[in-house]
Amino acid sequence: MQTQSMELETRISSKDIQNIAVLGQGIMGVDIAITFALAGYKVTAVDVSEQQIEIAEHRTKASLKLMIESGLVEEDCAQKAQQLIVRTIEWDGALANADFVMEVVPENIAQKKAVFEQCDKICAPDVIIASNTSSMSISHISQGMDYPQRAITAHWTIPAHLSPLVEVVPGIQTAKGTELKTMDLLNKIGKHPVRCKDTPGFIHNILQGALINAAMGLMDLGVATADEIDSVVKSGFGLRLPSVGPIQFMDMVGLDSIVNVGDYLAETMNDPSWRSHRRIRDKVSQGDLGVKTGKGFYQYANANADEFWEEINGDIIKTLKARL
């Protein structure tokens, strides 16, 4: 059995991927199909009704038109991409010819399990079946498969044809070759794959959910309106997020400063939950304060905070100029 599993993983790892099946032609499915086609892959886009297929065609043309007008793609490249996408309601034929399957059906665990089991029966055993689920366990989705080694989550973020991020989430039985092959394919089409453990919500939605809950809390307290909160995010820390994430940002301002702010909020609000997380306090007690000491959550050789801020400021200036 172990030998057969190793042989299958070898076949998955060496699979020549040319034909992509995208199952589901809602907004995400359309954008994912566009992305693969722009990268030169043949795409069979599948849905359950001719009406949805027609809607998908209109969305594809509109998205590519905007990308052309924005200078993101050349017109001839967009035309070639459209020609590489074939839409159909014939699922079995699309699956039989697929080298890689991207499932993008609604977030319903029973529906996803049924689709994966259908793929498992029709696709060759070395064809990877990837789910775009934003929260569900691929270990659960793939339970009824004969070949769960080739099941994996590839969670794209909206808008899928523009956003670089794809979270790659292997399940309990996912083969390492499946993970590596999926990461490689996503890199080839210009995405930024990030590995995540199979946990509800993954990384993206846990962080996004925490921000949403904090925003709702501010509204409950009457601190600010929806528009004021959104404006703070878009015109404040949202500007620097493309360049520096929340953890490295703490390194840059100094973890000791982060602890001091947390202590102040905990005292003035009479709420100990505002105290900085244990991991941050441990770093401070060890003298690892971030860029200024050469070590925080990241290592910094020849640390120079001014150089870090100069780079980020340059990125923010580009963003601001693009808005003009």
Side-chain angles (χ1 to χ4, degrees):
M1 181 64 97
Q2 187 175 2
T3 301
Q4 289 179 339
S5 181
M6 290 177 63
E7 289 177 353
L8 178 57
E9 182 167 357
T10 300
R11 288 171 57 190
I12 291 172
S13 299
S14 59
K15 181 78 172 180
D16 180 27
I17 297 176
Q18 296 183 15
N19 300 299
I20 310 290
V22 179
L23 310 182
Q25 282 296 279
I27 293 174
M28 288 291 283
V30 168
D31 292 347
I32 289 171
I34 289 172
T35 306
F36 278 114
L38 284 171
Y41 289 89
K42 296 176 182 177
V43 179
T44 304
V46 188
D47 212 287
V48 295
S49 73
E50 293 290 356
Q51 182 183 12
Q52 190 60 41
I53 294 296
E54 186 176 341
I55 292 171
E57 289 178 352
H58 287 304
R59 283 178 177 161
T60 298
K61 290 177 182 177
S63 292
L64 288 172
K65 182 174 181 290
L66 182 58
M67 293 178 78
I68 294 168
E69 292 171 349
S70 304
L72 290 177
V73 297
E74 298 293 333
E75 188 168 356
D76 62 337
C77 182
Q79 290 176 350
K80 289 177 183 177
Q82 287 192 69
Q83 294 169 1
L84 286 171
I85 302 174
V86 175
R87 295 182 177 83
T88 181
I89 59 173
E90 299 297 331
W91 287 62
D92 288 3
L95 294 176
N97 294 319
D99 300 318
F100 184 94
V101 176
M102 191 70 240
E103 169 269 304
V104 202
V105 304
E107 287 287 90
N108 177 289
I109 190 69
Q111 188 172 351
K112 288 185 182 292
K113 284 172 68 71
V115 168
F116 265 68
E117 289 169 21
Q118 180 183 8
C119 292
D120 198 44
K121 289 181 175 66
I122 298 172
C123 295
D126 57 358
V127 173
I128 293 172
I129 318 297
S131 175
N132 185 53
T133 179
S134 61
S135 60
M136 297 177 180
S137 169
I138 191 65
S139 299
H140 188 187
I141 292 171
S142 63
Q143 277 179 344
M145 297 175 67
D146 292 329
Y147 302 102
Q149 305 96 318
R150 38 91 164 264
I152 194 164
T153 289
H155 172 225
W156 301 53
T157 52
I158 296 175
H161 62 309
L162 301 178
S163 176
L165 174 68
V166 181
E167 292 179 299
V168 175
V169 188
I172 294 171
Q173 298 191 68
T174 302
K176 190 66 177 177
T178 298
E179 177 189 333
L180 295 177
K181 190 72 173 182
T182 302
M183 297 278 281
D184 180 62
L185 176 62
L186 292 167
N187 276 314
K188 284 180 178 177
I189 64 174
K191 292 302 176 182
H192 180 66
V194 175
R195 189 188 184 282
C196 175
K197 288 186 177 180
D198 191 12
T199 184
F202 315 140
I203 301 169
H204 181 275
N205 282 342
I206 291 295
L207 292 173
Q208 182 172 257
L211 180 58
I212 290 171
N213 285 335
M216 295 299 101
L218 288 169
M219 291 178 70
D220 286 346
L221 293 171
V223 172
T225 65
D227 180 62
E228 289 164 344
I229 293 168
D230 282 346
S231 293
V232 165
V233 174
K234 292 186 290 185
S235 300
F237 60 80
L239 277 174
R240 67 170 182 262
L241 283 176
S243 305
V244 59
I247 296 176
Q248 190 169 32
F249 173 75
M250 291 192 298
D251 273 0
M252 294 178 69
V253 300
L255 297 178
D256 51 340
S257 295
I258 299 297
V259 168
N260 290 339
V261 170
D263 287 345
Y264 174 78
L265 292 174
E267 182 179 349
T268 56
M269 294 186 176
N270 194 28
D271 183 353
S273 68
W274 281 102
R275 281 169 56 88
S276 296
H277 192 279
R278 169 188 54 80
R279 288 180 179 272
I280 304 171
R281 305 184 76 86
D282 286 349
K283 292 285 185 184
V284 172
S285 66
Q286 294 163 12
D288 299 330
L289 308 182
V291 175
K292 59 188 175 184
T293 61
K295 184 180 179 184
F297 284 95
Y298 292 83
Q299 295 274 359
Y300 302 92
N302 303 317
N304 187 322
D306 289 339
E307 290 180 0
F308 279 95
W309 281 118
E310 185 177 338
E311 181 178 349
I312 288 168
N313 288 343
D315 289 341
I316 291 174
I317 288 169
K318 291 177 184 177
T319 302
L320 291 172
K321 289 175 69 176
R323 291 183 177 183
L324 298 177

